[in-house]
Amino acid sequence: MDAPSATPADSGPGGGDGWSRSRADPAQRVPPPRSLAERASPDAVLVRRTMDEIGPVASQLTSYFYALLFVRHPELRPLFPVAMDAQRDRLLKALLTAADHVDNKLVLVPYLKNLGRGHRKYGTRSEHYPAVGECLIAALARYATSTWDEAAEAAWVRTYTTISQVMIDAAAEDEEKAPAWWLAEVVAHEPRTSDIAVVTVRPDQPYPFLAGQYTTLETPWWPRIWRNYSFASAPRADGLLSFHVKAVPAGWVSNALVHRARPGDVLRLGPPAGSMTVDHSTDSGLLCLGGGTGIAPIKALVEDVAEHGERRPVEVFYGARTDHDLYDIDTMLRLQRSHPWLAVRPVVDRRAHRHLPDAVREYGPWNEYDAYLSGPPGMIRTGVDTLRALGVPHHRIRHDAVEELVAAAD
């Protein structure tokens, strides 16, 4: 019952060294946008009041929650990794994030549906959800001593019931058309730098996805530990899937994929997820900001536009700290030579003494472009702020972190 979309330690959907799912304490949440807060439902008001109180003690609450869950329901322990330290807070953080944005259905429902579909690979069943809810309520009651009363408990019960039902329904619908996971054999392992590799796999059955999406990977060396990685290409005729992986400190999965995986090894893939996809019903230009291994899904978006035979302008800003970090620049420049509608602009911090947002400001205007952001958390945050300041409407800015997406909305 781990929460795949909530804060991996290894990497995020950008493909390696982070993403807007930065590793955060449940207390370090992004508040809902002001317009939503002003018209919040009574349940949302009570839920957020509880959230504000538990913030300083979120770590203790998390430990207590899992202690209750495993003592009261030991049958659920095998669904979690043996070592809980790397992702102890992920399930609870996902639940609290969902509860905090209970009024924002346009963002919340797709988020929960992805969670519900993703939970199938852990062996989660509908009967497991009440146990989690029971322990969540008990943990909140213990630590929200000032704001907890019958009204608050009722609000949380209703909120959790809504959250869990959306996830259960999504899982049931997905079960009718897709497996819980795919097996995938590593067929190529290409080191790009000392800590980055391109890993290509062959799924055991067709794997439908869209350019710009991501999946979760599990290695044979760390069972039940899944990490998010973006697809580094548009769907291919041969069915192969590629991922750009950066090994990060204490990253169990990323280090295994970069330094240990070899052709012949078999991984497991979760279902595809993410909404950072191209709308082919319009001819709007694409503005793509990719940092580090976040260039992987950007490359996939470029290929997707090319395969649809479109001639819409695509502007790619490829950010890196050093020239060494531009590990895929040759690929991007080859694409630029092949497609006159594509412009690739590398931005190296230490060479030009400027950051990616500074470079974006020099071009444009961008208010008629669809913007796509993929990279480390700081880049996502400053990129969104920059684009909004330049007049890009929030509905044209796309990335795959619920917290950031909600915070950027009016």
Side-chain angles (χ1 to χ4, degrees):
M1 294 258 322
D2 181 25
S5 293
T7 322
D10 279 287
S11 68
D17 56 350
W19 177 254
S20 43
R21 291 177 182 80
S22 58
R23 187 163 194 187
D25 189 280
Q28 296 174 342
R29 62 190 178 88
V30 178
R34 181 175 301 174
S35 59
L36 286 176
E38 289 173 349
R39 60 176 185 270
S41 66
D43 280 359
V45 170
L46 292 170
V47 164
R48 288 170 191 148
R49 190 176 299 161
T50 305
M51 297 281 286
D52 289 337
E53 182 183 1
I54 66 172
V57 293
S59 180
Q60 297 98 301
L61 183 146
T62 301
S63 297
Y64 184 75
F65 164 78
Y66 279 110
L68 280 181
L69 187 65
F70 295 155
V71 169
R72 293 183 179 180
H73 304 280
E75 73 280 5
L76 298 186
R77 185 62 181 90
L79 301 182
F80 294 82
V82 174
M84 289 288 292
D85 56 332
Q87 55 195 65
R88 182 178 57 89
D89 66 341
R90 297 177 69 217
L91 170 60
L92 187 63
K93 183 176 183 293
L95 293 174
L96 295 181
T97 295
D100 200 21
H101 300 300
V102 67
D103 283 348
N104 195 350
K105 297 297 193 295
L106 290 178
V107 172
L108 181 62
V109 171
Y111 172 64
L112 292 175
K113 286 184 174 180
N114 278 337
L115 282 183
R117 289 190 290 265
H119 275 66
R120 291 184 58 216
K121 65 180 178 287
Y122 303 105
T124 304
R125 300 190 301 272
S126 59
E127 58 265 30
H128 296 153
Y129 284 87
V132 172
E134 165 202 329
C135 296
L136 172 64
I137 297 300
L140 290 168
R142 180 181 178 89
Y143 285 93
T145 55
S146 299
T147 57
W148 196 259
D149 55 21
E150 291 184 2
E153 180 172 347
W156 272 97
V157 168
R158 286 189 292 267
T159 297
Y160 180 78
T161 300
T162 298
I163 290 171
S164 59
Q165 194 59 55
V166 172
M167 295 174 66
I168 290 169
D169 290 346
E173 180 182 354
D174 192 59
E175 188 174 4
E176 297 179 357
K177 56 187 179 183
W181 66 78
W182 288 253
L183 296 176
E185 180 185 0
V186 176
V187 297
H189 186 278
E190 177 191 355
R192 291 291 184 88
T193 70
S194 61
D195 58 359
I196 295 176
V198 176
V199 181
T200 301
V201 304
R202 178 185 293 113
D204 63 339
Q205 53 187 305
Y207 188 100
F209 73 98
L210 299 175
Q213 290 190 305
Y214 62 91
T215 187
T216 47
L217 294 180
E218 180 204 52
T219 72
W221 305 287
W222 299 108
R224 299 191 298 281
I225 296 180
W226 298 76
R227 294 294 182 260
N228 300 324
Y229 293 97
S230 289
F231 301 103
S233 67
R236 296 166 45 165
D238 59 11
L240 298 182
L241 310 172
S242 291
F243 306 94
H244 293 185
V245 184
K246 180 173 182 176
V248 298
W252 295 356
V253 175
S254 66
N255 277 282
L257 289 172
V258 171
H259 300 303
R260 189 168 181 175
R262 294 294 181 267
D265 291 331
V266 177
L267 313 176
R268 285 206 297 173
L269 304 176
S275 58
M276 201 179 77
T277 56
V278 177
D279 180 359
H280 292 288
S281 67
T282 77
D283 57 1
S284 300
L286 272 63
L287 169 62
C288 303
L289 281 62
T293 49
I295 199 64
I298 301 301
K299 172 178 169 285
L301 293 175
V302 171
E303 293 178 353
D304 189 35
V305 172
E307 289 176 5
H308 278 76
E310 298 165 355
R311 293 296 180 267
R312 60 206 295 182
V314 179
E315 299 272 347
V316 175
F317 289 81
Y318 185 176
R321 292 188 179 91
T322 67
D323 290 307
H324 173 79
D325 296 322
L326 292 173
Y327 71 93
D328 208 35
I329 188 62
D330 290 342
T331 301
M332 298 306 298
L333 292 178
R334 282 197 298 271
L335 287 169
Q336 179 179 245
R337 289 192 292 271
S338 301
H339 306 298
W341 40 263
L342 172 64
V344 177
R345 309 183 194 280
V347 182
V348 181
D349 292 352
R350 294 181 184 174
R351 185 207 308 158
H353 302 291
R354 64 174 180 170
H355 299 292
L356 199 59
D358 301 323
V360 172
R361 291 187 191 97
E362 296 177 11
Y363 297 87
W366 305 117
N367 54 302
E368 295 299 325
Y369 278 66
D370 292 331
Y372 298 81
L373 297 88
S374 175
M379 191 215 82
I380 298 292
R381 288 191 292 268
T382 57
V384 169
D385 290 343
T386 299
L387 294 175
R388 293 303 312 276
L390 293 174
V392 180
H394 70 82
H395 66 273
R396 286 182 175 267
I397 300 174
R398 303 185 184 186
H399 56 96
D400 282 313
V402 168
E403 297 94 331
E404 313 290 351
L405 206 64
V406 172
D410 283 331

